[in-house]
Amino acid sequence: MFPNEYYNAYKIMDNENSKTFINNSTQRFERIHKKKFNKWLVSDFLDIKEIQDKIKGLVLTARIQMLGIPKRYLTYKGKTNTQIWIQYRNSINELYDELNSKNAKNKKTAREQTNFISYKFAREEFIKYMPKIKEMKYKQFRNCLITGFYVLQSPVRLSNLQHLNYIEPNTIQLKNIVDKTKNYITKNNGIWELMYNNFKTASKLGSLNFKITEPNLIELLDIYISRYPIKPNKQFLYAKYDFSESKICSITIGYAITKIIKLITGIDNVTLNTLRHSLITEFHSSIHSIEDKKQLAKEMGQTFRINMQDYYIKLD
């Protein structure tokens, strides 16, 4: 979509998730800048105040993301360490300092104050909605199945489902699959299993293998595969069920979660991040062992670092 040299402005980029992030961020900046990438000039970005004014209405994390695009473009054009490049770098660092300062206080943002949802409540309402879900047609049912992956078990990231491939039941143990660039789901000996290889922290955590034990999610999976037969070794979720193998993207997965949560709870603008933050908030409202903390982090695809205070906590 964009020149390889642009993707590789900082380092060789061979991670598809990272390229997708750069694509989405650059396309968003194109809309803000009202100019397509192939028409950009270095002179477009020489007035950082003008760029800052264009993005001042965005949330803090989005402003960091958008300022990173001109910085990447200037790097791509060989302008590293020039005065304007340094201005972008310093501005981004200042925003990171502001973000870290806010995060350190563990306070909800203004947006989180309005759309924060109890993870327990989301789960309970989803289960109550199960009879209606079973009657839905493909797109709505698929969206509910996607949401089920995030509210009926510890929520992973969007890309975990984006790269999920279906393996014919009882043909191979997932751990024996050689291709580790994809994620896999299958049903062996009556048990649904997942293996995640392609996700944000895979380089640190390696492959993650899970058995699905939540009964409502198992039921949804059984219904899905019986109604909508999936070809073996093909993707598990489709943008539409017309046998066209139309790929589903992370944006569609994220939108599905937001849409279904609003449908079943009435609360709008709930994102995957909202659910992940909510689960961890509720988890830490009570005391847990180090092993419990490690397990939750693993289930969510996060790394976990033990600090000295963790050892000071004592359980009965």
Side-chain angles (χ1 to χ4, degrees):
M1 180 174 289
F2 300 108
N4 281 333
E5 293 82 1
Y6 176 72
Y7 291 117
N8 299 331
Y10 299 129
K11 63 179 181 179
I12 300 300
M13 188 65 63
D14 56 4
N15 183 295
E16 201 58 39
N17 289 342
S18 298
K19 283 187 176 180
T20 300
F21 176 79
I22 294 170
N23 286 340
N24 292 340
S25 300
T26 305
Q27 288 171 332
R28 184 177 186 182
F29 191 88
E30 283 179 325
R31 294 191 293 273
I32 292 171
H33 191 48
K34 296 181 180 179
K35 197 173 184 182
K36 287 292 185 181
F37 179 88
N38 60 3
K39 301 292 185 182
W40 290 2
L41 300 170
V42 169
S43 58
D44 291 345
F45 308 114
L46 296 182
D47 185 351
I48 190 172
K49 182 66 168 59
E50 180 184 345
I51 301 299
Q52 289 170 328
D53 285 343
K54 288 181 177 181
I55 63 174
K56 64 183 179 182
L58 301 179
V59 297
L60 184 55
T61 51
R63 296 206 307 275
I64 293 171
Q65 182 181 331
M66 290 300 97
L67 282 179
I69 297 302
K71 180 171 174 273
R72 175 176 291 276
Y73 183 80
L74 291 170
T75 305
Y76 157 61
K77 289 295 185 179
K79 302 300 179 182
T80 306
N81 293 325
T82 59
Q83 183 177 358
I84 185 61
W85 186 93
I86 292 171
Q87 286 179 11
Y88 278 103
R89 183 195 64 188
N90 291 345
S91 181
I92 291 169
N93 288 341
E94 287 171 5
L95 292 178
Y96 268 121
D97 288 343
E98 182 182 347
L99 178 64
N100 291 334
S101 175
K102 289 183 176 181
N103 287 342
K105 296 176 181 177
N106 294 95
K107 289 187 176 181
K108 295 174 185 173
T109 63
R111 183 174 181 179
E112 286 173 334
Q113 293 285 357
T114 60
N115 70 357
F116 205 76
I117 187 173
S118 160
Y119 188 83
K120 181 181 178 183
F121 173 70
R123 173 188 166 84
E124 290 174 346
E125 292 302 302
F126 186 92
I127 292 172
K128 288 179 188 176
Y129 215 81
M130 279 288 291
K132 293 182 180 179
I133 293 173
K134 296 174 190 177
E135 303 302 318
M136 292 176 175
K137 294 184 178 179
Y138 178 75
K139 189 172 182 180
Q140 278 284 77
F141 186 88
R142 179 211 64 191
N143 287 350
C144 287
L145 175 60
I146 287 171
T147 307
F149 270 96
Y150 296 101
V151 299
L152 297 176
Q153 58 182 12
S154 300
V156 291
R157 294 182 173 85
L158 299 175
S159 60
N160 290 57
L161 294 195
Q162 179 188 357
H163 302 293
L164 192 61
N165 276 36
Y166 178 63
I167 301 298
E168 188 174 0
N170 302 312
T171 56
I172 188 172
Q173 293 294 317
L174 296 185
K175 64 182 180 180
N176 295 331
I177 296 177
V178 175
D179 184 359
K180 303 298 185 184
T181 63
K182 300 172 184 174
N183 302 325
Y184 300 101
I185 185 169
T186 192
K187 191 175 187 181
N188 282 331
N189 300 316
I191 299 174
W192 283 98
E193 300 177 22
L194 287 163
M195 182 168 72
Y196 294 131
N197 302 298
N198 188 338
F199 58 99
K200 184 177 179 180
T201 51
S203 61
K204 295 180 179 178
L205 298 178
S207 298
L208 298 178
N209 297 274
F210 300 105
K211 288 182 171 60
I212 296 175
T213 58
E214 207 289 325
N216 295 285
L217 183 54
I218 291 170
E219 185 176 8
L220 290 178
L221 287 167
D222 287 339
I223 294 172
Y224 179 77
I225 208 66
S226 63
R227 282 187 194 166
Y228 312 106
I230 306 296
K231 297 176 184 178
N233 304 314
K234 296 291 184 180
Q235 64 189 56
F236 190 64
L237 297 166
Y238 291 88
K240 52 185 179 180
Y241 188 72
D242 59 1
F243 298 99
S244 67
E245 298 185 12
S246 47
K247 289 187 176 181
I248 192 168
C249 67
S250 59
I251 294 173
T252 301
I253 295 171
Y255 179 70
I257 296 168
T258 299
K259 189 173 182 181
I260 296 303
I261 293 296
K262 182 180 180 181
L263 175 67
I264 65 177
T265 69
I267 300 176
D268 201 4
N269 295 320
V270 174
T271 66
L272 172 58
N273 268 346
T274 311
L275 293 173
R276 286 168 66 89
H277 291 179
S278 178
L279 174 59
I280 293 174
T281 300
E282 292 179 8
F283 178 81
H284 285 285
S285 65
S286 57
I287 298 175
H288 293 275
S289 68
I290 292 173
E291 287 304 315
D292 288 342
K293 293 176 182 178
K294 282 182 179 179
Q295 183 60 31
L296 179 61
K298 177 182 176 182
E299 291 172 2
M300 297 179 69
Q302 295 178 322
T303 55
F304 175 74
R305 294 187 182 92
I306 301 173
N307 62 57
M308 186 55 66
Q309 290 185 0
D310 285 316
Y311 290 111
Y312 278 56
I313 296 171
K314 300 300 176 184
L315 305 174
D316 292 332

